């Protein structure tokens, strides 16, 4: 009976959803769920219940017999290895005042992203001439920052994805006023 139902569904065009390969982030950042608590000595975040947290938010569930490890988190490993997943270039910064305003907006947005997810971080903001180059631990963060700058200060935004590497590059070119 089951074979008939399955073949009937396929004939009717119904196919069960197929899960593709796991995302690079999903496998490399945490691996399979760990049983112990992992503290990052670099930034102080804690891994438990299959995700990274800012602290032991609900310490009452600790029994006292848990295993504890001290290992750098994925974000600290990226920073230490000088790797990044997102890069944002803001160009057309005509004045020093505009450059400082945009730097402040980027830093504030980076702090908010870190509060939401402890692995979302701005690695560095580099100044080159009339441009700011921002490198992030997450590619989505670079795109969010680009959208925020475009919305706040105007200009033209482009996003490029690379097939060779897992880096997303976003660019915002401000209009010279």
């Amino acid at each position: 009976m089951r074979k008939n139902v399955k073949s009937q569904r396929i004939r009717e065009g119904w196919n069960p959803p197929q899960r593709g390969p796991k995302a690079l982030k999903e496998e490399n950042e945490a691996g399979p769920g760990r049983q112990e608590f992992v503290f990052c000595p670099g930034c102080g975040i804690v891994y438990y219940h299959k995700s990274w947290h800012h602290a032991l938010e609900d310490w009452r569930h600790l029994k006292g017999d848990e295993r504890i490890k001290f290992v750098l988190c994925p974000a600290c490993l990226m920073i230490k290895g000088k790797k990044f997943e997102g890069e944002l270039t803001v160009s057309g910064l005509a004045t020093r005042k505009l450059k400082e305003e945009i730097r402040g907006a980027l830093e504030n947005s980076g702090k908010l992203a870190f509060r939401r997810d402890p692995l979302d971080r701005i690695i560095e903001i580099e100044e080159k001439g009339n441009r700011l180059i921002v490198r992030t631990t997450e590619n989505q963060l670079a795109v969010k920052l680009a959208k925020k700058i475009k919305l706040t200060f105007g200009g033209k935004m482009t996003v490029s994805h690379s097939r060779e590497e897992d880096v997303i590059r976003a660019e915002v070119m401000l209009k010279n006023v």
Side-chain angles (χ1 to χ4, degrees), residues 6-18:
K6 186 176 180 181
S7 61
Q8 182 181 2
R9 285 183 181 163
I10 291 173
R11 270 186 265 129
E12 292 173 357
W14 181 85
N15 288 322
Q18 301 293 319

